[in-house]
Amino acid sequence: MNNYTAFTIALLLGILANAQTPTTDSTTSINEVVTANQVEWGWLNPLRGDKSPAAGKLWGDRTSTNASGFLVKFKKGFSSPAHIHNVTYRGMVISGLLHNDDEKAEEMWLPKGSFWVQPAGEAHITAASGEANLAYIEIQEGPYLVKPTSEAFDNGERPVNIDKSNLVWLNAKDITWIKNDSGVQTAFLWGTHENEQLRASLIKLPKGFQGKIKNLSPNFRAVIINGNLTHSITKNAKRSTLQAGSYFGAAKDSVHRVEALEETTIYIRSNGSFNITSK
């Protein structure tokens, strides 16, 4: 093997290794709330202007090198050209119908409450069919960029599309960190429950649930996917009404009081454990 070939192989391996999605997040989250009507909107791909989906900031900055979470709003009938992203992203459908797959794949419309993963470097299209199409998108590192398929690569990860009907929900009696009589359910989505490793779950609160969520990790992000709840960080703090598309972050060891005004599903991404107890 000559030096040029060895260098090329080493370079390619380095690129692939760098493309792997991080499994930790060194950022320390704080107590904060962004209601759906407070979201700041712009264009997901500013170069395409109004031909691009709209993007709304929830936490972090997708143009920086750090992790971030944001909303994406698609017009009915939207269909992107085939493209890749430089980083892997995960998505939750909040409203409407979305399709994300290879450009030659048969359409599989994901309804609200569904989950998908798009690996870095893989060519795909994204399309929307509902009247109002909204998704929560999350990246472990940035910046979030759109690139042509001529730059496609395989980072070793694989795409995932999970219709809401394929989620497996566990009851409180099956989970040690949720009080048995709370009526709360959970569905695990991704990650590992090893110490300080990132993981994400869906938490379903029954209508009328009143209780507390205590964060035990350095990094905790929660996004309302479906439903409606009231939220306060301390007993005497002002309550916020959080509808689908709202967000709250939690500092380590902070306690957040919630009341579900209807059945509510929350996406929770954390670097460790949290506890849920009913009133």
Side-chain angles (χ1 to χ4, degrees):
M1 181 183 296
N2 61 40
N3 290 338
Y4 176 80
T5 303
F7 172 79
T8 301
I9 292 174
L11 179 61
L12 289 173
L13 290 175
I15 291 172
L16 293 176
N18 290 336
Q20 290 289 324
T21 304
T23 59
T24 60
D25 185 349
S26 60
T27 307
T28 301
S29 57
I30 62 174
N31 291 328
E32 58 182 343
V33 174
V34 178
T35 64
N37 60 7
Q38 293 174 329
V39 174
E40 299 176 5
W41 291 93
W43 298 117
L44 182 63
N45 185 357
L47 294 177
R48 298 193 72 210
D50 61 5
K51 293 182 180 180
S52 164
K57 177 181 176 180
L58 291 183
W59 60 272
D61 179 358
R62 69 180 186 278
T63 66
S64 74
T65 58
N66 298 321
S68 63
F70 47 97
L71 299 176
V72 179
K73 188 184 299 182
F74 303 88
K75 295 178 181 179
K76 182 178 181 180
F78 171 84
S79 183
S80 72
H83 63 283
I84 71 163
H85 297 286
N86 60 315
V87 294
T88 295
Y89 76 81
R90 299 181 174 98
M92 287 292 312
V93 183
I94 296 178
S95 66
L97 295 167
L98 295 177
H99 166 76
N100 193 86
D101 210 328
D102 181 273
E103 62 179 325
K104 296 181 180 179
E106 183 177 349
E107 290 173 339
M108 184 178 75
W109 296 109
L110 297 175
K112 68 178 181 180
S114 301
F115 169 72
W116 84 95
V117 179
Q118 180 58 51
E122 180 164 310
H124 66 287
I125 66 165
T126 302
S129 179
E131 292 296 331
N133 305 282
L134 183 67
Y136 167 67
I137 303 297
E138 183 177 275
I139 57 176
Q140 304 295 85
E141 59 181 343
Y144 175 92
L145 302 175
V146 178
K147 296 189 174 186
T149 57
S150 59
E151 299 184 31
F153 60 91
D154 183 353
N155 78 337
E157 298 173 337
R158 295 295 174 258
V160 175
N161 285 280
I162 302 178
D163 186 281
K164 65 174 295 185
S165 63
N166 295 125
L167 292 170
V168 178
W169 291 94
L170 299 176
N171 295 314
K173 64 183 179 61
D174 302 312
I175 306 163
T176 59
W177 39 269
I178 297 179
K179 191 174 179 180
N180 193 13
D181 60 357
S182 65
V184 176
Q185 294 179 296
T186 191
F188 298 108
L189 293 180
W190 59 267
T192 173
H193 281 251
E194 296 179 4
N195 289 338
E196 298 183 358
Q197 295 293 298
L198 286 168
R199 79 288 303 263
S201 306
L202 290 178
I203 304 297
K204 186 184 294 183
L205 306 178
K207 180 180 179 180
F209 172 87
Q210 298 181 42
K212 301 175 182 178
I213 301 175
K214 182 175 182 179
N215 173 37
L216 304 174
S217 73
N219 191 295
F220 178 104
R221 317 281 186 179
V223 178
I224 312 305
I225 301 301
N226 183 54
N228 191 3
L229 58 77
T230 60
H231 167 275
S232 62
I233 298 173
T234 64
K235 186 174 182 180
N236 299 319
K238 177 183 177 181
R239 285 194 170 193
S240 299
T241 299
L242 304 184
Q243 300 174 325
S246 301
Y247 156 79
F248 68 92
K252 187 175 182 179
D253 296 324
S254 63
V255 176
H256 297 247
R257 291 170 172 82
V258 297
E259 178 179 355
L261 304 179
E262 56 185 287
E263 184 180 83
T264 300
T265 302
I266 310 173
Y267 173 94
I268 296 181
R269 168 194 185 273
S270 68
N271 242 39
S273 300
F274 56 89
N275 291 328
I276 299 178
T277 57
S278 57
K279 185 175 180 181

